[in-house]
Amino acid sequence: MRLQLRKPILVGGMALSFGLWLFWSIRDTALEIGEVSLLGTIAIGGSFWWLKHQFGQKTPPLIFPASLGRKEVEAAIAQTRDRLSILKAEDTDRDCSDLEVQLNLLPKRLERQEVNIAIAGAKLAGKTCLQKILATSTWENVTWQEMPTPSHSLENWQEDCLQAADAVLWLLTGDLTDSELQVLKRLRSVNQRILLLFNKGDRYIPEEREMILQQLHQHILGILPAKDVFSILAAPAPIQVRQHQGDGSLKEWQESQKPETQPLRDRLEVILSTERESLVWGTTWREAQTLQQQIKIRLNDIRRDRALPIVEQYQWIAAATAFANPVAALDLLATAAISAQMLVDLGAIYQQKLSLSVSKDTAGAIGQLMVKLGIVELSTQAIGHLLKSNAITFVAGGTMQGISAAYLTRLAGLSLIAYFQDCAIDSTTEETPFNWQKLTQKLKVVFEQNQRTEFLQGFAKQTMARFSS
């Protein structure tokens, strides 16, 4: 009978102790023969190798949860209802009946018995064959839907159709591509149930099949459980058969093979018997998240319509200030008070609590960020070139500064609008620190969208008109 030690730390300590005892026992002899370094390395290094081997092969935990409980789904529905109330309160004239209908259906869908399983994957991966096979199964209230492969890159593929399914069977005929891996990660981030199936493995020799399967398991560590990744043969290639006839001739034909889908059937049997409710709850949760996003889009449209006039108001104030008091170089910190008040007003529209002191510090930081990103230099150079090369001329020393101040204030305002649109739509009583990485990204995008010559030319003329009025 084999004795198995179940105390790895104790065993490791014993191995290390034995190694050290061995080292000290033979030290004197080793010194005489000049091999102390070698023996010490063997004794200690071998022990540490054993410990590393024992503790270094752990499977990382799943990054995303496999399913949601009913309480979490009901909480998401309640949050959706609260956000719809916010939308209706901010624009009482807006028709939200379509959103209300969708919201009222969500609690009923928690009781749904039907399960819809999508079959997806690359082109020619065997989706049609697998659907035909599964369509003959005896599971009750289960439908199988083959998802069309997008004609464009998977990287830009919207997974709305897959998110609407209760589970996804993703077929592969080889290793995962990077775009496929990203799709799987996005689906798992919204609690989608996925089985990863390696199909058409009979195209490879056994060693290659094993290597591909190992690579798949390695790539999905922390994304999918290992038991949800396996091989199938939805339509095995026929086998070439040769038979010698009595007359000495050779007869050849191809003999078809039965599909090998039993591992998939066994796994689906477990999932449908133990996770059926969880699959439905996960889909309902995703529907609530989608509805929240629709509400947010409409609310952002309302708030943007209110925010743009505020940005325009402060950009003209900044222009007038810089025009009346020109300086040799544009000093963004000098207009920090103007930008700070704009930040407070925009925050109020987007239900983001911001004190004036915090807004002043933030406005100054935004100005410094513009300098750091080179936006100030590029903008002033472009505006200066525009003034010199067109009919627009320097009618006063502050023209350049006025137009630049208005333009930069507008960039800051539009960037803040884009930033606030990504924030939670719920009102808050506590100040939330700015995510500067996200704000920097928004600022770059807004600058790229508003640096065209045609826009700058029109903006400069508009600003000049205000100076002359």
Side-chain angles (χ1 to χ4, degrees):
M1 179 177 179
R2 178 177 299 177
L3 177 63
Q4 184 176 4
L5 294 178
R6 298 184 180 275
K7 304 285 187 181
I9 296 179
L10 176 61
V11 175
M14 292 170 58
L16 181 59
S17 299
F18 175 77
L20 291 173
W21 171 82
L22 179 63
F23 167 70
W24 290 110
S25 297
I26 63 176
R27 181 186 59 171
D28 294 337
T29 304
L31 284 172
E32 293 178 1
I33 61 176
E35 296 181 352
V36 62
S37 300
L38 175 61
L39 292 174
T41 301
I42 293 174
I44 300 176
S47 300
F48 279 108
W49 173 87
W50 187 90
L51 290 172
K52 181 178 180 182
H53 179 74
Q54 290 295 318
F55 299 105
Q57 304 297 326
K58 294 183 178 179
T59 301
L62 289 177
I63 299 174
F64 308 113
S67 61
L68 290 167
R70 186 181 180 106
K71 290 184 178 179
E72 288 83 0
V73 182
E74 291 176 341
I77 295 175
Q79 186 181 55
T80 307
R81 185 173 290 106
D82 292 340
R83 294 187 173 183
L84 181 56
S85 298
I86 294 174
L87 173 61
K88 294 167 65 176
E90 291 210 16
D91 190 350
T92 57
D93 296 330
R94 185 175 292 261
D95 182 13
C96 300
S97 58
D98 59 327
L99 299 177
E100 289 179 330
V101 170
Q102 295 181 58
L103 177 59
N104 292 332
L105 288 175
L106 292 182
K108 300 177 182 178
R109 292 184 179 178
L110 283 174
E111 311 301 333
R112 175 167 54 88
Q113 298 299 315
E114 299 78 13
V115 173
N116 177 33
I117 299 180
I119 304 174
K123 188 176 181 180
L124 301 179
K127 299 186 294 294
T128 302
C129 291
L130 183 60
Q131 182 190 23
K132 291 179 180 179
I133 293 172
L134 294 176
T136 63
S137 60
T138 58
W139 289 302
E140 295 183 358
N141 297 322
V142 178
T143 59
W144 314 92
Q145 181 181 7
E146 179 186 350
M147 308 307 298
T149 303
S151 57
H152 52 284
S153 172
L154 278 172
E155 296 175 356
N156 300 318
W157 186 24
Q158 299 294 322
E159 296 98 22
D160 295 346
C161 53
L162 292 180
Q163 292 186 22
D166 299 311
V168 174
L169 307 182
W170 191 278
L171 269 66
L172 298 164
T173 57
D175 197 6
L176 273 170
T177 65
D178 183 66
S179 57
E180 288 174 323
L181 182 60
Q182 297 309 313
V183 171
L184 294 180
K185 286 182 177 180
R186 289 195 294 270
L187 290 174
R188 289 295 297 124
S189 69
V190 292
N191 295 280
Q192 179 58 272
R193 194 71 170 85
I194 302 173
L195 297 183
L196 191 62
L197 311 176
F198 174 37
N199 191 29
K200 299 186 179 182
D202 53 353
R203 295 181 175 183
Y204 304 91
I205 61 175
E207 292 79 9
E208 290 176 332
R209 290 198 300 269
E210 183 64 25
M211 184 182 358
I212 292 174
L213 198 58
Q214 289 179 358
Q215 290 173 339
L216 291 176
H217 280 283
Q218 184 64 32
H219 289 154
I220 55 86
L221 282 177
I223 302 174
L224 296 177
K227 59 186 176 182
D228 287 342
V229 181
F230 42 82
S231 299
I232 65 167
L233 288 175
I239 296 179
Q240 186 78 15
V241 179
R242 295 181 178 180
Q243 187 180 68
H244 292 276
Q245 305 299 308
D247 58 1
S249 62
L250 183 65
K251 183 179 180 180
E252 296 183 5
W253 72 93
Q254 288 189 333
E255 190 172 286
S256 60
Q257 304 297 302
K258 293 182 178 180
E260 298 179 13
T261 59
Q262 195 58 45
L264 173 60
R265 291 180 179 274
D266 293 342
R267 188 71 185 115
L268 285 173
E269 180 66 36
V270 173
I271 292 174
L272 292 173
S273 61
T274 62
E275 302 180 28
R276 186 181 285 260
E277 283 186 332
S278 298
L279 297 178
V280 173
W281 294 343
T283 304
T284 307
W285 180 85
R286 287 190 294 276
E287 290 171 342
Q289 299 302 314
T290 300
L291 185 54
Q292 287 186 27
Q293 187 61 28
Q294 294 175 11
I295 294 172
K296 188 172 185 178
I297 290 173
R298 296 194 190 185
L299 188 58
N300 278 339
D301 289 341
I302 296 172
R303 291 175 172 178
R304 183 179 176 84
D305 289 342
R306 295 173 180 170
L308 286 177
I310 291 178
V311 173
E312 292 181 358
Q313 174 187 354
Y314 283 104
Q315 77 185 30
W316 302 135
I317 293 175
T321 302
F323 181 75
N325 301 285
V327 293
L330 180 64
D331 185 1
L332 290 177
L333 298 180
T335 60
I338 298 174
S339 299
Q341 189 58 56
M342 177 180 69
L343 183 54
V344 171
D345 293 348
L346 291 177
I349 290 177
Y350 286 92
Q351 302 295 316
Q352 302 295 314
K353 182 176 176 57
L354 296 169
S355 65
L356 185 57
S357 61
V358 171
S359 297
K360 287 181 178 178
D361 294 339
T362 304
I366 291 175
Q368 294 173 354
L369 180 61
M370 286 185 170
V371 174
K372 182 179 179 180
L373 295 176
I375 292 177
V376 173
E377 181 179 1
L378 291 173
S379 300
T380 52
Q381 287 179 353
I383 292 173
H385 177 74
L386 189 66
L387 293 174
K388 292 178 181 179
S389 60
N390 291 274
I392 306 174
T393 58
F394 289 90
V395 297
T399 302
M400 168 81 168
Q401 287 79 2
I403 297 176
S404 297
Y407 177 69
L408 294 173
T409 301
R410 181 174 183 83
L411 290 182
L414 295 179
S415 301
L416 289 167
I417 290 175
Y419 175 85
F420 286 143
Q421 286 183 335
D422 284 348
C423 296
I425 66 177
D426 310 271
S427 60
T428 178
T429 58
E430 298 181 358
E431 288 189 343
T432 303
F434 272 85
N435 183 330
W436 285 102
Q437 181 179 4
K438 181 180 292 186
L439 183 58
T440 300
Q441 294 173 348
K442 298 296 183 184
L443 185 57
K444 290 180 179 178
V445 171
V446 169
F447 177 61
E448 291 174 357
Q449 293 174 343
N450 293 272
Q451 64 174 335
R452 299 185 303 273
T453 301
E454 297 81 3
F455 173 82
L456 285 174
Q457 188 174 19
F459 186 83
K461 289 181 178 179
Q462 187 180 11
T463 308
M464 288 286 295
R466 284 187 167 267
F467 290 160
S468 59
S469 61

